[in-house]
Amino acid sequence: MTGTGAPQGFMDAALEQGLPAEEFARQALNALAAGQAHVVIGGGKERLAMYLDRLSPAITRQLMRRVKVV
């Protein structure tokens, strides 16, 4: 989906390198089985961004504007 909400219509590099559905399902099911109330599903960069956002939302916003999604 594009920024306007329209379908993108093609698979880009970010989607190709994304988390496989099986890995998402494994992480989600493990979290549910453990009774976790808050779960972050993703790789290392996603988890780092979440923790950074807790410490400093302003810095996280600045970094996100500069990061190229690949």
Side-chain angles (χ1 to χ4, degrees):
M1 184 178 295
T2 67
T4 65
Q8 184 167 310
F10 63 91
M11 180 78 78
D12 64 12
L15 291 174
E16 288 178 5
Q17 295 177 5
L19 190 67
E22 295 82 9
E23 178 62 17
F24 172 87
R26 185 188 66 75
Q27 289 186 31
L29 290 174
N30 286 344
L32 287 169
Q36 295 179 358
H38 182 165
V39 180
V40 176
I41 296 178
K45 289 187 276 185
E46 292 82 9
R47 291 172 190 256
L48 177 62
M50 190 250 342
Y51 289 117
L52 179 61
D53 192 48
R54 286 183 181 175
L55 293 172
S56 177
I59 291 175
T60 305
R61 282 192 301 272
Q62 288 177 346
L63 288 173
M64 291 300 165
R65 286 187 197 114
R66 297 178 187 172
V67 173
K68 181 180 178 191
V69 177
V70 178

